[in-house]
Structure formats: C-alpha cells, structure tokens
C-alpha cells in the first residue's frame, strides 16, 4: 500500500486495523469505483475488519469502517491469510480456513458459497502463502510455496 493511502485514511485507520491483508476494487456504475479493504484488529481474533469507500470520478472519498454488529452473524471470520477478488459480478473472499465466502451487499454480510469450491488437494495442503486472480474469465489460485496453480472449472491442480 502506498503512503498516499495512509495519508488519506489517517490515524484512526492505523489504530483500528493493526494488519492490512488484502483489498479489492470494482466498478460501481459508470463513474464510480468501490474499494473494500480487509485487515485484522489487535483486539479481535473472531472477525476480519473491513473498511470501504466509493470514489466518484474526479473525487476522492474517505474510508468508512464497516462495524460488525451483535445481530450480524454473517461476518467474515478472522483468517491468517485472506484474498479478496471481484469475480462474476461479486466479491469473493478466499481464506486460510479452506472456504470461499461471498458477499452480495458489498461486504456487509458474508456466507460460504456453494457456487465455488477449493480443490481438495489445495485444502488438504493449505498453503500459508497463496494468491488468487481472475484471468480470461477464470478464477485462478496460486500456491506460492509449492509453485502450483489451479483454474476454476478444471479439476486440475498442478505445476
């Protein structure tokens, strides 16, 4: 993350979020971009901390903390490693718990998706460092430790 990001978010962000894990951006209408930032707070080992902002063309907005309320049982759980990505018109979260979560309300609530599943070989040997990307309309998982990749829609996980 750039110094520009930190200068725009201010001290409240750095205090509230001890570790930034990942972020994702996607178009919101013709002239706006929605950004979701995920991290961990030092005092919370149950949930992932989320911040969001909507930037309109030519205007920078401020980060807004997305608090998890007591009545929201559909929060994104705490995971040591987490990747957020925009895929097929929705935000997916892939984490070190071996599950894929999706949100249909821009990060307020999260549920384990039944539409996608991680390959068994990936989950059985869950890497501590992995990436996810979208290329040519496919979801890719990259195990950076083993040097292996998996493409959604194929039951192959290999070099």
């Amino acid at each position: 993350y750039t110094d520009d990001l930190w200068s725009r978010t201010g001290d409240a962000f750095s205090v509230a979020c001890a570790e930034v894990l990942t972020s994702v951006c996607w178009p919101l209408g013709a002239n706006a971009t929605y950004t979701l930032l995920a991290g961990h707070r030092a005092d919370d080992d149950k949930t992932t901390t989320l911040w969001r902002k909507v930037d309109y063309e030519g205007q920078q907005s401020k980060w807004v903390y997305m608090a998890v309320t007591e009545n929201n049982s559909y929060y994104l759980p705490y995971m040591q490693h987490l990747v957020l990505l925009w895929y097929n018109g929705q935000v997916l979260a892939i984490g070190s718990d071996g599950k894929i979560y999706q949100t249909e309300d821009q990060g307020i609530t999260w549920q384990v998706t039944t539409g996608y599943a991680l390959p068994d070989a990936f989950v059985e040997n869950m890497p501590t460092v992995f990436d996810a990307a979208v290329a040519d309309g496919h979801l890719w998982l990259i195990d950076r430790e083993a040097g292996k990749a998996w493409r959604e829609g194929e039951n192959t996980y290999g070099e």
Side-chain angles (χ1 to χ4, degrees):
Y1 296 95
T2 66
D3 290 336
D4 184 44
L5 169 70
W6 295 114
S7 66
R8 286 186 308 207
T9 57
D11 291 337
F13 180 83
S14 59
V15 169
C17 192
E19 179 183 25
V20 175
L21 297 178
T22 185
S23 66
V24 64
C25 300
W26 66 92
L28 189 64
N31 300 316
T33 303
Y34 193 101
T35 304
L36 190 62
L37 184 75
H40 291 152
R41 290 184 2 205
D43 64 345
D44 185 356
D45 63 357
K46 182 179 177 185
T47 66
T48 294
T49 300
L50 296 167
W51 289 70
R52 68 165 176 86
K53 71 175 187 158
V54 178
D55 287 328
Y56 295 93
E57 191 172 301
Q59 300 175 350
Q60 292 288 322
S61 64
K62 295 187 180 208
W63 289 100
V64 176
Y65 173 64
M66 299 175 68
V68 175
T69 60
E70 290 181 19
N71 60 349
N72 179 4
S73 59
Y74 298 106
Y75 55 85
L76 187 59
Y78 178 98
M79 290 173 267
Q80 288 187 326
H81 188 71
L82 179 68
V83 176
L84 295 176
L85 58 119
W86 178 252
Y87 183 59
N88 283 343
Q90 61 189 348
V91 176
L92 299 179
I94 303 171
S96 53
D97 67 351
K99 299 174 184 171
I100 300 177
Y101 297 84
Q102 74 179 34
T103 179
E104 295 182 359
D105 54 14
Q106 301 168 333
I108 297 169
T109 59
W110 296 84
Q111 293 189 347
V112 174
T113 180
T114 57
Y116 308 100
L118 296 174
D120 291 339
F122 189 82
V123 175
E124 289 167 6
N125 301 299
M126 195 68 185
T128 56
V129 180
F130 65 90
D131 291 312
V134 176
D136 299 323
H138 293 281
L139 171 62
W140 288 83
L141 292 177
I142 299 97
D143 179 343
R144 294 190 338 195
E145 295 170 331
K148 295 182 178 183
W150 170 80
R151 187 178 97 167
E152 178 265 328
E154 293 182 1
N155 290 326
T156 57
Y157 173 68
E159 298 177 31

